[in-house]
Amino acid sequence: MISKEIQVNQELLNKLAKARSHAERSEPRAIKAFYEPNNQMVHIIFSNDAIFIFPAHLGQGLAEALDEDLAQVELTPSGEGLHWETLDVDLSIPGLMSGLYGTKAWMQWLAKKGGSSTSTAKVSASRRNGQKGGRPRTKTTTP
């Protein structure tokens, strides 16, 4: 009876090893992640030597974080996510690579924030438009 259990366990271990080997060959996996405080970027290194880098402030829950907290980034066991224990933040690596840095509400907030930034070019364009009478009103149509 014991030898039968050992045989079954060995078969399961063999199948698991085969599955892991196949997974490692089929798709690149994240193998390392770290935060670089000099440029405030999060780096993700993959098993095929590819690197993905994103600005930390774009990640939901990371914008106001201290460098010490950002440096504590960990890979999730699946290799498909980033985790910051002290910040209670989890981000999906496939999502990040698709340009999704958080929830839908977070992405909308980022879009509004980006549009509200001021630069000398924006200020001068706004002044020129103001001298012309401002932005033209949108025409409303009645049914």
Side-chain angles (χ1 to χ4, degrees):
M1 178 95 170
I2 295 176
S3 64
K4 181 79 169 170
E5 289 177 14
I6 292 172
Q7 183 180 3
V8 170
N9 286 340
Q10 188 59 46
E11 288 176 18
L12 288 173
L13 289 173
N14 290 341
K15 287 180 181 180
L16 182 60
K18 186 176 180 181
R20 283 186 178 150
S21 174
H22 175 71
E24 289 172 2
R25 286 191 311 257
S26 63
E27 288 186 22
R29 286 179 38 101
I31 58 171
K32 184 177 181 183
F34 63 93
Y35 172 70
E36 176 57 53
N38 293 335
N39 58 13
Q40 299 176 333
M41 300 283 202
V42 177
H43 298 240
I44 305 167
I45 301 174
F46 294 88
S47 58
N48 65 351
D49 296 329
I51 300 172
F52 177 74
I53 302 170
F54 70 95
H57 72 273
L58 292 181
Q60 185 173 358
L62 304 180
E64 302 296 323
L66 300 173
D67 286 344
E68 304 86 59
D69 293 328
L70 291 168
Q72 295 180 22
V73 61
E74 302 171 345
L75 286 174
T76 60
S78 67
E80 293 189 6
L82 300 176
H83 175 70
W84 285 266
E85 183 71 31
T86 57
L87 300 172
D88 193 25
V89 172
D90 292 288
L91 297 175
S92 158
I93 293 173
L96 291 167
M97 294 179 74
S98 298
L100 301 174
Y101 298 99
T103 62
K104 186 175 182 179
W106 175 256
M107 295 303 293
Q108 289 173 342
W109 181 82
L110 276 180
K112 283 182 185 177
K113 183 180 171 193
S116 68
S117 65
T118 57
S119 66
T120 53
K122 267 187 156 181
V123 170
S124 60
S126 178
R127 284 192 179 130
R128 285 193 307 273
N129 285 337
Q131 290 171 351
K132 296 177 185 176
R135 183 178 295 200
R137 299 208 179 265
T138 56
K139 295 179 184 177
T140 57
T141 57
T142 55

